[in-house]
Amino acid sequence: MAKQEVVEGFKFEQRHGKERVRVARVWKTRQGQHFIVEWRVGITLFSDCVNSYLRDDNSDIVATDTMKNTVYAKAKECSDILSAEEFAILLAKHFVSFYQKVTGAIVNIVEKPWERVTVDGQPHEHGFKLGSEKHTTEAIVQKSGSLQLTSGIEGLSVLKTTQYTALPDTRERMVATEVTALWRYSYESLYSLPQKPLYFTEKYQEVKKVLADTFFGPPKGGVYSPSVQNTLYLMAKATLNRFPDIAYVSLKLPNLHFIPVNISNQDGPIVKFEDDVYLPTDEPHGSIQASLSRLWSKL
């Protein structure tokens, strides 16, 4: 997206923005139920502002404090609950339409996983607890209205105590990983987006479920994993098969180890491993990463 220019005999390209803008937004219904999101927002703008680098002229620059304040102003304007994807698109669209010199914008959001608590079997009206995995998104919008929208998951920790490839010295083996997932939607324009409210929030939950269900398998018996690589491929394949508006999936699955404990010591306790006592360790660990996309995808 960055436009390369020739400046004083050199190739030059630039961008500027604001990172780690934290915002929380609460919505309250007439029935007394509250909803909250907490987002960490990053903004990158591409603009025609070479003069700000060559001369004492920042007139074409969008001030980074203006970017920060715009996050709060736009959050205030959102009277209805919306997804992180919708807010990212809203911000990016604002910058490319409101500022003449801005040709493109990238907005990244990481959503903190506040989850409604249940008390005495009932969802609490305004009580929330912090979950684990995070919802991420990135919207790239150009002045022409073209769009590239990516969503993802960070920190989805999953573990199976069996049904994993066996080593020579043990009958079975545990498998654990922390899933980082990215998926790119097939929508290429601001004008082709689904109009259903909270569409992308629902899609995030559905993709997360498909990834987890593929990893674990059925409740009784589970599913055998010959390797982390095979499990990764099946997770990515299941996502593309289930969601026709997703064009590309990237998964990273570090192999977090649980090492069987065997201790034979004449002067101390003896521990004979019987598929029961392990030493958990996450450093060093294997790192497995791959992507899967449709044949027609431009990626």
Side-chain angles (χ1 to χ4, degrees):
M1 180 185 288
K3 184 174 71 172
Q4 193 174 82
E5 301 179 67
V6 177
V7 174
E8 298 180 348
F10 301 97
K11 292 179 180 179
F12 178 70
E13 62 180 58
Q14 53 76 32
R15 66 186 71 184
H16 77 292
K18 193 78 167 182
E19 293 294 331
R20 305 185 74 85
V21 180
R22 296 181 61 181
V23 59
R25 179 63 158 96
V26 175
W27 292 274
K28 303 173 184 179
T29 68
R30 293 179 180 177
Q31 294 75 31
Q33 194 174 43
H34 294 189
F35 296 85
I36 183 172
V37 293
E38 182 181 342
W39 292 321
R40 189 180 75 226
V41 182
I43 301 166
T44 300
L45 300 184
F46 301 88
S47 54
D48 297 324
C49 58
V50 175
N51 284 340
S52 65
Y53 292 87
L54 302 182
R55 302 172 187 87
D56 185 15
D57 180 4
N58 284 340
S59 60
D60 294 334
I61 285 281
V62 180
T64 60
D65 266 5
T66 298
M67 298 181 204
K68 178 194 69 176
N69 293 336
T70 299
V71 172
Y72 300 118
K74 290 300 177 182
K76 175 68 175 179
E77 291 175 9
C78 294
S79 56
D80 295 322
I81 305 167
L82 75 168
S83 66
E85 287 84 355
E86 290 171 302
F87 191 65
I89 293 168
L90 178 71
L91 282 174
K93 184 179 177 181
H94 166 80
F95 287 114
V96 299
S97 61
F98 189 79
Y99 295 100
Q100 182 181 358
K101 293 290 186 177
V102 175
T103 58
I106 301 175
V107 176
N108 294 279
I109 294 179
V110 178
E111 180 170 329
K112 209 166 187 177
W114 290 109
E115 301 171 350
R116 189 178 303 278
V117 299
T118 300
V119 178
D120 295 332
Q122 297 293 321
H124 201 282
E125 288 183 343
H126 54 264
F128 300 84
K129 67 179 179 65
L130 191 60
S132 53
E133 65 273 2
K134 296 177 180 178
H135 177 182
T136 66
T137 190
E138 178 183 81
I140 304 176
V141 176
Q142 298 190 46
K143 220 174 191 64
S144 63
S146 68
L147 169 71
Q148 187 171 289
L149 182 63
T150 305
S151 296
I153 301 170
E154 289 181 356
L156 176 60
S157 297
V158 290
L159 177 151
K160 294 195 299 186
T161 54
T162 187
Q163 288 284 51
Y164 185 45
T165 181
L167 293 174
D169 59 345
T170 181
R171 294 190 301 274
E172 59 184 0
R173 198 174 163 200
M174 293 172 64
V175 57
T177 189
E178 185 177 285
V179 179
T180 300
L182 291 172
W183 57 92
R184 188 161 296 165
Y185 291 98
S186 57
Y187 309 110
E188 297 181 347
S189 166
L190 292 171
Y191 314 107
S192 63
L193 289 167
Q195 298 304 305
K196 181 182 177 183
L198 296 175
Y199 175 85
F200 293 107
T201 298
E202 292 179 7
K203 190 71 68 174
Y204 166 78
Q205 295 294 344
E206 291 171 358
V207 172
K208 184 169 66 170
K209 184 178 186 304
V210 166
L211 293 173
D213 288 355
T214 306
F215 177 86
F216 292 117
K220 289 189 70 67
V223 63
Y224 178 69
S225 300
S227 66
V228 174
Q229 288 88 343
N230 178 254
T231 297
L232 182 155
Y233 174 76
L234 293 177
M235 291 166 70
K237 180 182 175 183
T239 302
L240 290 182
N241 284 340
R242 173 67 176 79
F243 305 106
D245 60 348
I246 292 178
Y248 164 90
V249 181
S250 173
L251 294 174
K252 183 177 182 181
L253 275 64
N255 197 348
L256 308 182
H257 299 292
F258 284 73
I259 300 171
V261 173
N262 274 301
I263 301 176
S264 57
N265 189 339
Q266 294 180 349
D267 301 323
I270 297 175
V271 178
K272 181 181 179 182
F273 179 70
E274 296 176 319
D275 303 323
D276 51 3
V277 180
Y278 297 83
L279 168 64
T281 177
D282 57 5
E283 293 180 354
H285 60 71
S287 180
I288 298 95
Q289 186 171 356
S291 63
L292 199 65
S293 59
R294 304 187 190 279
L295 291 177
W296 50 260
S297 173
K298 297 178 182 179
L299 300 170

